[in-house]
């Protein structure tokens, strides 16, 4: 059955009421922030810092965000692209968010993915050592890497990856569930998203439409409980290469409650930061974003959370695209806290 554009719009209008739709009186419309003087320092180097494993102890980081050419092949041009995105996010964000970043020591390292592969280079060893220091509460508060050549050969400095990584840094390290107002609302918005997925499924099923699902196993980090997003199995499993059967033990690690993350050694479900970061990318430029959903027919198109088929080649895909009303809690959150000055 192929629904007309008008029919789909009517179908989704009914679904919106159950997912926090456009007419919802509690839709958290963005409130303009007051003029601010909060400045987040952004640095391109660390004085007297030898960027090797043994040199970490000589590196002194002030509060702010450091964008460092750690890998030997990283260029000033690539660094400037990343710094531009860092400055954009800080300029667009609510002052309360800026204050949080301004009080942390964050590192964004530019290098190739192979630098931190099976045989780390000196650049990779430096990043690994910094990460170990962070886990001890020393030297820095958070680190992320932007690859000038990732595993697929892409230069992430030409994409929107920096925005994605900064949202992850915010969720995992800057707020880190310390119950700030923007941090608490991030957690609440993610929970609302999971509830909205179920409401959207009901509306989609009633009209024989595809709907969005979200597998939390990929970024679950061994922290998933019984309350899992629609599309997340319990337990999480992978197919064993030897037996051909599902298993929750992979490389001697238990993935039943989400795959462990070797970089982010924090006791957090990493899905919220990753998902908010992906939506942030799409909102900045839908031609350069990375899709955060598994290959389940999701369409990388649409006006975010509109519930309307605008911008879709196939209007029947509206519930399995960025237009699904299930995205609305995430979108409202970003508009309020990260795009209020854009």
């Amino acid at each position: 059955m192929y629904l007309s554009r008008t029919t789909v719009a009517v179908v989704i209008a009914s679904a919106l009421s159950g997912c926090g739709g456009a007419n919802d009186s509690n839709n958290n419309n963005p409130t303009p922030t007051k003029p601010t003087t909060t400045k987040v320092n952004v640095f391109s180097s660390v004085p007297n810092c030898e960027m090797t494993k043994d040199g970490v102890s000589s590196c002194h980081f002030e509060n702010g965000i450091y964008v460092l050419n750690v890998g030997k092949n990283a260029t000033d041009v690539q660094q400037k692209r990343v710094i531009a995105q860092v400055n954009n996010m800080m300029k667009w964000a609510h002052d309360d968010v800026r204050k949080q970043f301004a009080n942390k020591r964050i590192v964004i390292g530019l290098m190739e993915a192979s630098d931190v592969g099976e045989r780390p280079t000196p650049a990779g060893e430096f990043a690994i050592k910094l990460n170990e220091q962070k886990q001890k509460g020393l030297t820095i508060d958070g680190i992320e890497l932007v690859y000038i050549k990732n595993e697929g050969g892409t230069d992430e400095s030409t994409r929107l990856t920096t925005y994605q990584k900064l949202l992850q840094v915010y969720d995992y390290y800057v707020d880190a569930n310390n119950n700030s107002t923007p941090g608490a609302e991030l957690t609440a918005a993610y929970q609302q998203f999971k509830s909205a997925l179920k409401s959207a499924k009901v509306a989609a099923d009633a009209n024989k439409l595809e709907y969005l699902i979200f597998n939390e196993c990929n970024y679950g980090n061994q922290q998933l409980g019984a309350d899992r997003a629609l599309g997340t199995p319990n337990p999480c499993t992978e197919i064993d290469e030897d037996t051909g059967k599902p298993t929750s033990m992979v490389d001697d690690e238990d993935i039943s409650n989400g795959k462990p993350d070797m970089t982010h050694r924090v006791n957090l479900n990493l899905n919220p930061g990753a998902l908010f970061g992906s939506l942030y990318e799409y909102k900045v430029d839908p031609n350069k974003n990375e899709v955060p959903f598994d290959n389940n027919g999701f369409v990388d198109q649409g006006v975010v959370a509109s519930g309307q088929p605008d911008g879709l080649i196939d209007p029947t895909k509206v519930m399995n695209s960025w237009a699904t009303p299930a995205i609305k809690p995430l979108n409202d959150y970003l508009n309020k806290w990260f795009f209020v000055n854009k």
Side-chain angles (χ1 to χ4, degrees), residues 13 28-29 48 156 192 240 274:
N28 284 328
N29 287 327
N48 305 314
E156 293 179 346
Q192 292 162 11
D240 187 283

Side-chain angles (χ1 to χ4, degrees), residues 243-258:
T243 66
K245 297 179 180 180
T247 178
S248 291
M249 293 300 298
V250 177
D251 297 329
D252 297 323
E253 294 276 5
D254 181 6
I255 69 166
S256 60
N257 293 321

Side-chain angles (χ1 to χ4, degrees), residues 57-316:
S57 59
S58 67
C59 301
H60 175 72
F61 293 87
E62 303 288 345
N63 288 345
I65 301 173
Y66 288 80
V67 180
L68 304 179
N69 283 345
V70 180
K72 66 178 182 180
N73 295 325
T75 68
D76 290 345
V77 171
Q78 291 166 322
Q79 184 184 41
K80 287 177 181 177
R81 291 192 197 115
V82 173
I83 288 175
Q85 291 189 15
V86 171
N87 284 328
N88 282 344
M89 179 177 279
M90 294 303 102
K91 179 176 69 175
W92 298 336
H94 192 288
D95 195 44
D96 287 356
V97 171
R98 292 187 219 179
K99 287 175 181 176
Q100 289 180 286
F101 271 102
N103 287 311
K104 297 290 184 178
R105 301 159 299 171
I106 302 300
V107 172
I108 304 294
L110 276 67
M111 63 180 66
E112 297 183 8
S114 58
D115 283 321
V116 286
E118 292 184 5
R119 296 182 178 180
T121 64
E125 291 177 342
F126 173 76
I128 292 169
K129 182 67 174 181
L130 267 183
N131 193 47
E132 291 174 352
Q133 291 288 92
K134 168 191 63 68
Q135 293 165 20
K136 298 175 183 177
L138 304 172
T139 310
I140 61 171
D141 297 296
I143 181 172
E144 266 288 7
L145 304 177
V146 172
Y147 295 127
I148 57 173
K149 184 177 181 181
N150 64 20
E151 293 178 351
T154 299
D155 177 359
E156 293 179 346
S157 77
T158 66
R159 307 290 293 175
L160 304 178
T161 307
T162 301
Y163 295 127
Q164 158 83 281
K165 297 297 177 73
L166 282 173
L167 253 298
Q168 291 179 244
V169 163
Y170 177 75
D171 185 32
Y172 309 158
Y173 306 121
V174 175
D175 180 74
N177 290 354
N178 285 331
N179 298 317
S180 69
T181 299
E185 290 191 13
L186 184 152
T187 300
Y190 184 72
Q191 285 300 120
Q192 292 162 11
F193 160 72
K194 293 203 294 184
S195 296
L197 283 175
K198 298 174 183 177
S199 298
K201 177 186 184 302
V202 172
D205 282 343
N207 295 278
K208 298 181 180 179
L209 300 174
E210 295 177 9
Y211 53 86
L212 178 64
I213 61 174
F214 183 58
N215 189 345
E216 292 187 282
C217 290
N218 295 329
Y219 288 87
N221 200 31
Q222 298 179 318
Q223 302 300 311
L224 302 182
D227 178 23
R228 303 190 179 203
L230 180 70
T232 304
N234 190 2
C236 299
T237 61
E238 287 190 0
I239 300 299
D240 187 283
E241 294 181 357
D242 297 325
T243 66
K245 297 179 180 180
T247 178
S248 291
M249 293 300 298
V250 177
D251 297 329
D252 297 323
E253 294 276 5
D254 181 6
I255 69 166
S256 60
N257 293 321
K259 297 177 183 177
D261 192 290
M262 299 298 105
T263 301
H264 301 295
R265 293 289 192 176
V266 291
N267 294 325
L268 295 174
N269 176 358
L270 304 180
N271 280 286
L275 182 55
F276 275 104
S278 296
L279 176 56
Y280 192 105
E281 287 184 279
Y282 185 78
K283 286 168 69 66
V284 171
D285 188 343
N287 296 311
K288 292 184 178 181
N289 69 299
E290 302 296 328
V291 178
F293 305 106
D294 288 343
N295 185 19
N296 63 318
F298 179 79
V299 176
D300 189 25
Q301 299 172 351
V303 178
V304 176
S306 67
Q308 302 294 325
D310 299 325
L312 296 176
I313 296 173
D314 182 354
T316 66

